[in-house]
Amino acid sequence: MGSEDVYYPSQEVLDYATVKEYNSLYKYSIENTEAFWAEQAQNLEWYEPWDKVIDDSDKPFYKWFVGAKTNIIHNAIDRHLKTATRNKIAFVWEGENGDLRVFSYHALNREVSQFANILKSMGVKKGDTVTIYMPQIPEQIFAMLACAKIGAVHSVVYAGFSYESLGERIKAAKSKVVITADGGFRKGKIVDLKSIINVALEDNPYTQVVITVKRTGQNVEMVSDRDYWYHDLKSLPIASIKCNTEVMESTDPLFLLYTSGSTGKPKGLVHTHGGYSVYTYSTMKMLLDVKSEDRIWTAADPGWITGHSYIVYGPLINGATMFLYEGAPNHPYPNRWWQMIEKYGITILYTSPTAIRGLMRFGESWVKRHDISSLRLLGSVGEPINPEAWKWYYEVVGNKKCPIIDTWWQTETGGHIIAPLPIFPLKPGSATKPFFGVQVAVVDDDGNQVQPNEQGNLVIKNPWPGMACCVHEDRERWIETYWKKYEKFGWYHPGDAAKYDDDNYIWIIGRSDDVIKVSGYRLGTAEIESALVSHPAVAEAAAIALPHSLKGNAIYAYVILKKDFAVTADLENELKDQVTKLMGPIARPESITLVDSLPKTRSGKIMRRVLKARAQGLDVGDISTLEE
Ligand code: WTA
């Protein structure tokens, strides 16, 4: 190991970890990849076994466990009902207002079955896509699982998105049925969701039914013959507690999840029942090291991939107990998280660097008020973690005894790709090494491996079961976005810059394309720019990310106003509001600068790199392609 900060695991951690050795199992998994995944898959139950572990006859559209019959719900719920796990707690939920709800696996099955029967009675069939736009309440999870159970495809839209983004996603998924709630609680206030749905559904030819869960009880507008209260439906005989789980092909779609790319509209990544089950199961078990005695809190929103994989499916397939919290981390006081960790005896905490930095800002005295010694493992996800936040997490939250599992992955990868096992010596800020069965490299634009400590493009060299199967209804985009750049090698190109160090540890540097990570949320510059241009004053716009001490990155926008447009004093705020209104508060620019021109290539592409370098007072680099 190099001379920089290295944190070695204690004997206790080494003894307790599920996987005790990396090198030989990694070697085995790379030399016998199909056998390795078959062995992992055999830990799950299948209605009928697969003929082939992987079918690569239509690259880069890989198919996993081909021929197998399954349903992720069988492994997430049904299987547990035959064992003592049926009486185990599946999850504990605390509302921001202190409400408490607890569900055993048996109760979870009942809730999911009822929801599934309601969806069926509303005409939802196998293969239909249902959009879910909900606060973090138990029904959000029941809704997702109910879709999967009847073979419908869920498309969860994060509740922080505004009507424009939501409406676009509902239309793209052609959802006949949309599930929402009247609202949710955040920072002691009601976040209105139903009225956003109402606006999003104007001029929508697809949606015939909106199921609304009552959470806050405020007055909302219900459209007759379209909108139904969930509790009304649940009291009808159709909402029986018995429901068969639909038998699916391993390769059938489980969910769509829209995510931002560097160009155009967000794309719907499609994940399937079989491969995704195996991958979330294995990564949860080996990297997050979840065990029967754990209580895991993935403090993320179920509306993002982290929630799908490590709040919902990964923990349930492992028969684990999860904790869920509805609201803001500092409500009513900045000790809220630590109080809940103490109260519920949380053992694994998995969250984002932004959340850690946010809590760090309040100071350690809030942490010290509580006995959080139940924690044994900490995880990080969504953006690079800066060493200062890493150390605070390690020392103050983990009391120097919890390994920090810094997990690099994406919506597209379905689960962790690069992350340490708990037994690894750790370096703050390094996601360390690839997971079993996955080969990664850091290469230059021609595909040559770069030298240690030199920056390059991260690539994944071989397929893995958690990978998305495709982009929803857009074959070309799947190829174009991820596979074109290294087509000749058949490598997956995630769009991140990275480097290796002298110990062969990987350090993720950040996005190398026009995707911005703000507080761990993924946004496309193209979407922000198009929101700005939709304002009557704006002729052209460019958005870039600049480092921000709390959010990781913040959005800086540059706009050219239309000729003759009279600048008002409040124009900057008006433009910021425009973005918030159309996309949601996470996309709100930090600053907007009015400019006369934007740096462009001769072919008219905005050179965001130049804007960024200038804003930071750095050398703008090679600008030979810049037009005058
Ligand atoms: C970034 C989130 C550094 C990365 C699971 C990736 C990270 C994008 C890490 C995917 C990490 C995620 N260290 N960067 N541990 N985890 N990223 O699809 O840029 O919302 O490409 O998935 O987040 O974002 P997404």
Side-chain angles (χ1 to χ4, degrees):
M1 282 280 149
S3 57
E4 66 278 75
D5 282 347
V6 182
Y7 293 76
Y8 290 90
S10 66
Q11 194 56 44
E12 204 178 336
V13 167
L14 294 172
D15 291 343
Y16 198 66
T18 299
V19 184
K20 303 233 187 307
E21 208 274 338
Y22 175 79
N23 292 340
S24 59
L25 186 55
Y26 183 73
K27 185 162 183 284
Y28 170 78
S29 74
I30 294 309
E31 288 168 0
N32 310 274
T33 307
E34 287 192 31
F36 173 78
W37 289 121
E39 285 150 26
Q40 290 302 311
Q42 266 144 15
N43 292 320
L44 305 183
E45 281 184 5
W46 302 75
Y47 298 130
E48 280 177 36
W50 51 90
D51 304 318
K52 245 181 154 172
V53 172
I54 179 169
D55 173 356
D56 61 0
S57 59
D58 183 23
K59 288 176 191 161
F61 299 87
Y62 295 94
K63 297 187 184 70
W64 286 88
F65 305 104
V66 183
K69 301 257 190 281
T70 184
N71 185 316
I72 200 164
I73 297 301
H74 181 80
N75 283 298
I77 302 177
D78 302 357
R79 177 168 68 126
H80 304 311
L81 303 177
K82 298 179 284 189
T83 70
T85 309
R86 79 194 284 267
N87 295 322
K88 187 176 171 181
I89 295 172
F91 68 85
V92 175
W93 172 86
E94 188 170 298
E96 197 191 62
N97 60 352
D99 286 354
L100 172 66
R101 295 169 75 187
V102 181
F103 299 88
S104 65
Y105 275 85
H106 183 265
L108 176 66
N109 178 55
R110 190 172 63 230
E111 294 285 348
V112 171
S113 297
Q114 285 191 283
F115 216 136
N117 282 322
I118 290 171
L119 291 176
K120 276 196 203 169
S121 76
M122 291 294 173
V124 178
K125 303 218 158 46
K126 185 170 174 170
D128 288 350
T129 301
V130 174
T131 299
I132 299 174
Y133 182 69
M134 294 180 85
Q136 296 190 44
I137 55 175
E139 282 75 10
Q140 182 183 34
I141 294 185
F142 303 152
M144 291 166 75
L145 298 168
C147 289
K149 187 170 175 75
I150 61 173
V153 178
H154 56 72
S155 168
V156 180
V157 178
Y158 169 59
F161 275 133
S162 194
Y163 62 87
E164 176 100 349
S165 310
L166 171 65
E168 223 171 70
R169 287 159 170 77
I170 298 174
K171 274 191 217 158
K174 303 189 184 73
S175 289
K176 278 192 289 196
V177 173
V178 172
I179 307 170
T180 190
D182 50 357
F185 291 108
R186 182 115 193 146
K187 296 198 181 126
K189 296 200 190 82
I190 287 177
V191 181
D192 183 7
L193 295 180
K194 184 63 172 65
S195 65
I196 297 176
I197 283 272
N198 289 351
V199 179
L201 289 181
E202 283 168 8
D203 110 66
N204 171 314
Y206 304 107
T207 307
Q208 289 143 24
V209 172
V210 177
I211 300 174
T212 307
V213 176
K214 187 173 262 182
R215 164 69 184 130
T216 54
Q218 91 269 26
N219 270 334
V220 293
E221 190 197 331
M222 298 289 276
V223 176
S224 64
D225 294 333
R226 187 195 73 182
D227 296 358
Y228 300 87
W229 285 109
Y230 179 64
H231 57 267
D232 288 342
L233 299 171
K234 212 175 163 191
S235 67
L236 301 174
I238 48 155
S240 149
I241 61 169
K242 289 229 159 14
C243 178
N244 288 332
T245 302
E246 192 73 32
V247 176
M248 308 296 285
E249 295 290 332
S250 165
T251 51
D252 279 337
L254 167 65
F255 64 83
L256 281 186
L257 192 53
Y258 283 89
T259 191
S260 300
S262 47
T263 54
K265 292 201 184 298
K267 43 191 176 284
L269 272 311
V270 183
H271 284 280
T272 57
H273 278 263
Y276 181 79
S277 297
V278 173
Y279 204 72
T280 51
Y281 164 79
S282 304
T283 47
M284 182 100 215
K285 184 171 167 171
M286 296 194 241
L287 295 171
L288 294 181
D289 198 40
V290 66
K291 295 188 166 64
S292 188
E293 55 272 34
D294 279 313
R295 289 184 156 208
I296 163 150
W297 182 15
T298 297
D301 193 287
W304 298 94
I305 192 69
T306 305
H308 283 55
S309 300
Y310 300 109
I311 293 178
V312 183
Y313 292 111
L316 292 176
I317 297 173
N318 277 284
T321 296
M322 338 170 236
F323 172 69
L324 291 162
Y325 168 59
E326 176 188 36
N330 56 342
H331 188 81
Y333 301 106
N335 64 331
R336 182 65 184 262
W337 272 31
W338 320 121
Q339 189 182 40
M340 293 188 298
I341 289 169
E342 178 175 31
K343 179 169 173 193
Y344 299 111
I346 306 297
T347 57
I348 298 177
L349 175 66
Y350 184 36
T351 191
S352 68
T354 292
I356 299 159
R357 287 190 294 262
L359 293 161
M360 190 171 140
R361 197 182 43 166
F362 298 123
E364 69 176 76
S365 66
W366 291 101
V367 190
K368 297 287 177 222
R369 290 180 182 202
H370 298 277
D371 174 6
I372 55 168
S373 59
S374 56
L375 288 172
R376 71 169 185 89
L377 186 138
L378 303 171
S380 176
V381 57
E383 38 175 335
I385 180 165
N386 50 310
E388 198 195 349
W390 194 101
K391 285 178 194 162
W392 191 81
Y393 201 24
Y394 184 79
E395 285 164 12
V396 178
V397 180
N399 198 19
K400 301 182 185 163
K401 69 180 172 73
C402 306
I404 294 186
I405 311 301
D406 178 3
T407 60
W408 178 88
W409 58 297
Q410 306 180 295
T411 307
E412 293 83 347
T413 70
H416 309 142
I417 295 288
I418 303 170
L421 289 170
I423 55 167
F424 281 14
L426 300 170
K427 300 185 193 183
S430 170
T432 74
K433 297 191 173 194
F435 185 56
F436 301 118
V438 195
Q439 298 174 60
V440 304
V442 177
V443 299
D444 64 19
D445 285 338
D446 301 322
N448 305 309
Q449 195 147 335
V450 301
Q451 295 301 313
N453 305 312
E454 231 177 68
Q455 180 171 334
N457 304 318
L458 184 68
V459 293
I460 307 177
K461 291 181 151 180
N462 66 324
W464 63 101
M467 68 199 303
C469 67
C470 52
V471 172
H472 181 56
E473 291 180 345
D474 201 342
R475 251 183 97 83
E476 219 20 64
R477 202 158 173 203
W478 174 248
I479 300 171
E480 191 62 40
T481 315
Y482 307 105
W483 305 89
K484 200 88 192 171
K485 186 167 173 80
Y486 295 109
E487 196 177 10
K488 47 171 200 216
F489 307 103
W491 297 340
Y492 172 86
H493 175 233
D496 275 52
K499 63 179 185 188
Y500 271 96
D501 68 13
D502 296 322
D503 295 314
N504 227 12
Y505 270 30
I506 302 163
W507 298 71
I508 306 293
I509 294 161
R511 298 294 308 188
S512 57
D513 57 6
D514 294 325
V515 170
I516 300 184
K517 277 269 166 166
V518 179
S519 303
Y521 296 117
R522 178 165 163 183
L523 299 165
T525 50
E527 295 163 80
I528 301 161
E529 289 160 7
S530 108
L532 285 166
V533 171
S534 73
H535 188 281
V538 178
E540 281 186 69
I544 58 165
L546 291 178
H548 185 279
S549 61
L550 189 63
K551 304 178 193 172
N553 290 297
I555 300 166
Y556 283 72
Y558 297 83
V559 303
I560 304 177
L561 295 182
K562 284 186 185 149
K563 279 208 180 63
D564 309 327
F565 198 90
V567 180
T568 55
D570 217 28
L571 186 63
E572 185 177 338
N573 270 328
E574 218 181 276
L575 295 178
K576 286 182 183 173
D577 289 347
Q578 175 83 355
V579 181
T580 310
K581 191 173 84 184
L582 294 183
M583 294 182 66
I586 46 169
R588 189 178 181 88
E590 189 78 9
S591 110
I592 295 194
T593 310
L594 305 181
V595 293
D596 296 327
S597 67
L598 290 167
K600 284 188 193 155
T601 61
R602 281 177 211 108
S603 58
K605 236 182 130 227
I606 295 172
M607 295 181 82
R608 297 191 185 80
R609 175 174 67 76
V610 173
L611 282 173
K612 204 169 161 161
R614 261 194 215 147
Q616 293 177 284
L618 302 172
D619 177 12
V620 293
D622 176 11
I623 47 167
S624 55
T625 58
L626 190 71
E627 72 169 359
E628 274 318 296

